[in-house]
Amino acid sequence: MELTDAQFERYARHLILDEVGDAGQEKLLQARVLVVGAGGLGAPMLLYLAAAGVGTIGIIDDDHVDLSNLQRQVIHMTERVGSAKTQSAAATIAAVNPDIVVEQHATRLTADNVMALINDYDVIADGSDNFSTRYLLNDACHLAGKTLVAGALLRFEGQLSTFRSGVSGHQDAPCYRCLFPATPAAGTVPRCDEAGILGAVAGVIGTLQATEVIKEILSLGDSMAGRLMLYDSLSGSFRTVKFKRNPECPLCGDAPQIQAVS
Ligand SMILES: [Zn+2]
């Protein structure tokens, strides 16, 4: 694969980085990334992945653009209120970078479709807003041997980690269940739509997720696998904590009990 003259110009600031260069840019153009949710985290992720030249981007979202989304979901426009989020995101991506192939999955992620949906992609990015989707993606990515870059938001805070417990050569890496063994009891952790979110915090975490996805594609620097980054916008601080694989983990532990997603 050869870069065109227009691509040399478009990606010039990548090409000048020795760690990316022509070979890295070609890798990005050939990469396939699945973004789950075209919402607060998905919006900045999709914009930066598209701008970076990630060649094929899948988007899963079964929702429509609502006026109350626009405070943080910067890929959607006022004129698209009422449109499918996958369609609205695809339209913005086409305007940003016509190199990108967008695969729209206007469906809800379930135990029945998750394995088929993630199978065609190299890296999966979780921008969902609920625990059941997070566990579902974690289990499916582990079983399918995919790298999962996950972000989460609450009020003025956000967090980010990478899970690759199922990826060959990384079996010592922990999974999401090692970090959060059980779903918090109903009502103890409110969702964004119930608790609110400072819109720009979604931009911070979604942009970090896009950065980590690009690093995973290019094998650049240190992966966030085994590390959880916590951002507190009110104190203006980042903190990173390490965590390990739990030998008792029902998914990636020494005696796994989960052998299929359910
Ligand atoms: Zn685990």
Side-chain angles (χ1 to χ4, degrees):
M1 185 183 145
E2 286 277 308
L3 297 179
T4 64
D5 290 349
Q7 287 174 326
F8 270 109
E9 195 171 341
R10 176 182 288 272
Y11 304 117
R13 301 301 184 279
H14 271 170
L15 301 178
I16 208 168
L17 295 168
D18 288 339
E19 294 82 350
V20 181
D22 292 19
Q25 191 60 52
E26 285 166 20
K27 235 188 220 178
L28 289 173
L29 286 163
Q30 279 162 10
R32 301 177 52 86
V33 173
L34 179 66
V35 175
V36 180
L41 292 169
M45 249 197 283
L46 289 164
L47 285 170
Y48 272 106
L49 294 175
V54 170
T56 304
I57 302 179
I59 311 172
I60 301 185
D61 203 308
D62 69 340
D63 207 359
H64 290 77
V65 180
D66 187 86
L67 189 57
S68 67
N69 297 152
L70 302 183
Q71 165 255 17
R72 63 201 177 283
Q73 301 180 15
V74 292
I75 201 165
H76 305 303
M77 310 294 152
T78 304
E79 64 189 23
R80 302 206 199 109
V81 167
S83 312
K85 284 192 178 177
T86 49
Q87 247 171 40
S88 166
T92 305
I93 290 171
V96 170
N97 188 349
D99 282 351
I100 311 305
V101 175
V102 175
E103 296 176 348
Q104 298 182 40
H105 306 284
T107 178
R108 191 153 196 83
L109 199 66
T110 66
D112 292 329
N113 64 18
V114 65
M115 295 308 285
L117 279 168
I118 66 170
N119 196 39
D120 284 343
Y121 296 92
D122 306 318
V123 179
I124 317 299
D126 183 5
S128 69
D129 62 355
N130 63 85
F131 283 99
S132 57
T133 303
R134 283 181 206 141
Y135 284 106
L136 184 64
L137 271 177
N138 175 65
D139 296 358
C141 286
H142 174 84
L143 296 168
K146 305 279 181 183
T147 298
L148 172 66
V149 177
L153 302 168
L154 189 64
R155 288 169 46 82
F156 298 96
E157 293 169 30
Q159 52 181 248
L160 164 101
S161 189
T162 296
F163 304 102
R164 51 184 194 188
S165 54
V167 179
S168 65
H170 297 285
Q171 278 86 354
D172 283 345
C175 79
Y176 184 75
R177 286 181 186 273
C178 296
L179 186 61
F180 299 110
T183 312
T188 57
V189 182
R191 288 160 39 127
C192 256
D193 49 357
E194 296 155 356
I197 174 74
L198 193 72
V201 173
V204 173
I205 301 297
T207 304
L208 284 169
Q209 270 185 280
T211 309
E212 293 305 320
V213 167
I214 290 167
K215 282 170 58 189
E216 293 291 337
I217 294 167
L218 300 179
S219 304
L220 270 185
D222 299 323
S223 170
M224 286 302 296
R227 294 187 296 150
L228 176 70
M229 184 190 283
L230 302 151
Y231 172 58
D232 179 348
S233 67
L234 291 183
S235 65
S237 60
F238 284 95
R239 202 155 59 89
T240 302
V241 293
K242 288 187 179 167
F243 62 99
K244 287 204 165 81
R245 188 177 73 95
N246 172 10
E248 314 271 297
C249 176
L251 183 70
C252 75
D254 296 340
Q257 288 128 48
I258 301 172
Q259 266 123 30
V261 285
S262 58

